[in-house]
Amino acid sequence: MVEESKTSDPQIRENPDPHETNRPVPKKVIVIIVLALSWAIGYILMAHPGDEAQWGDNRTKADLMAHSGASTGPVDGAQIYAAQCVACHQASGAGLPGVFPPLAGSEWVLAKESLPVNILLHGISGKLTVKGTAYTGTMPAFKDKLSDAEIAAVLTFVRANFGNKAGPIAVASVQTERQAGKAKTSPWNGDDELAKLK
Ligand code: HEC
């Protein structure tokens, strides 16, 4: 009896209106795509095709690693000199007569470690006498431009070249002087101040 009353209900008796359905991608095709993808990804991961130098520009992975390692290696004083000092003090270290003082044979360069370190950190303005000649230029400060290791390296280079024969500058000395002069914001006032540090 219950059955009869159900089928007589118009909602249940009638079929739903037909409508277009999306035809789903056959399962077989999905399986083939998944298999092909996992093979391809697995191949790239296991075969390292990017390591084959002869397929590219012949630079091996080792070449590229060595290159990136070099830039974090020890700093090169000669390179820093060429980039930061040559414009004024010249490649020969002889300076320009009357304008830029020489670093070659300079009593300031060859003095005790702390003096050239302080000159580089804070710069100089005012009259400075170098090898008997007075200069009144401006030597820029490098405390914001060069790291402790870079200042030590460039000064070690300057003290061992251009005929100079003074010992190397330790990174620790630069650290100490930088710390000591932390509050100093103006350059040294030439002979007046620097002679006292000699
Ligand atoms: C813009 C030009 C300029 C640059 C760049 C420069 N200097 Fe100088 N430097 C001078 C001048 C000018 C003096 C003299 C300052 C004065 O007359 O009061 C001087 C003085 C010095 C002195 C003391 C005097 C002497 O001749 O020994 C040292 C040491 C020195 N510079 C080292 C360096 C080093 C190392 C660099 C690079 C990191 C450098 N300078 C970059 C212009 C420059």
Side-chain angles (χ1 to χ4, degrees):
M1 288 307 266
V2 180
E3 281 263 313
E4 216 180 290
S5 81
K6 242 191 176 177
T7 42
S8 63
D9 185 338
Q11 296 258 312
I12 292 177
R13 203 182 50 225
E14 283 174 20
N15 289 324
D17 286 341
H19 63 274
E20 280 188 33
T21 54
N22 294 332
R23 186 177 297 170
V25 178
K27 286 222 175 68
K28 266 187 208 162
V29 173
I30 293 179
V31 167
I32 289 171
I33 289 174
V34 167
L35 284 178
L37 265 181
S38 40
W39 172 82
I41 293 171
Y43 174 78
I44 290 171
L45 290 180
M46 316 250 267
H48 298 288
D51 290 0
E52 299 291 340
Q54 71 271 24
W55 296 345
D57 58 5
N58 279 323
R59 283 183 304 173
T60 61
K61 214 174 182 181
D63 289 341
L64 298 171
M65 304 273 271
H67 183 72
S68 67
S71 61
T72 57
V75 285
D76 181 351
Q79 216 174 344
I80 299 167
Y81 185 81
Q84 304 288 345
C85 322
V86 152
C88 299
H89 295 285
Q90 307 300 301
S92 63
L96 274 186
V99 188
F100 301 120
L103 301 180
S106 156
E107 64 267 38
W108 304 102
V109 169
L110 302 174
K112 64 174 186 192
E113 278 189 45
S114 58
L115 189 57
V117 168
N118 269 300
I119 289 178
L120 245 66
L121 283 172
H122 305 289
I124 315 170
S125 68
K127 183 173 81 69
L128 185 78
T129 310
V130 184
K131 291 168 86 179
T133 307
Y135 295 83
T136 49
T138 302
M139 159 77 188
F142 283 91
K143 65 174 174 191
D144 297 330
K145 263 193 238 166
L146 297 178
S147 70
D148 293 348
E150 287 169 330
I151 288 179
V154 72
L155 282 176
T156 297
F157 168 80
V158 166
R159 277 158 67 98
N161 283 277
F162 319 131
N164 293 341
K165 286 191 178 61
I169 301 276
V171 179
S173 314
V174 184
Q175 255 162 10
T176 311
E177 298 303 326
R178 191 190 285 272
Q179 208 51 38
K182 233 180 168 184
K184 184 169 172 56
T185 52
S186 56
W188 300 106
N189 184 15
D191 289 326
D192 289 349
E193 279 188 312
L194 286 173
K196 291 181 206 146
L197 300 180
K198 261 189 179 172

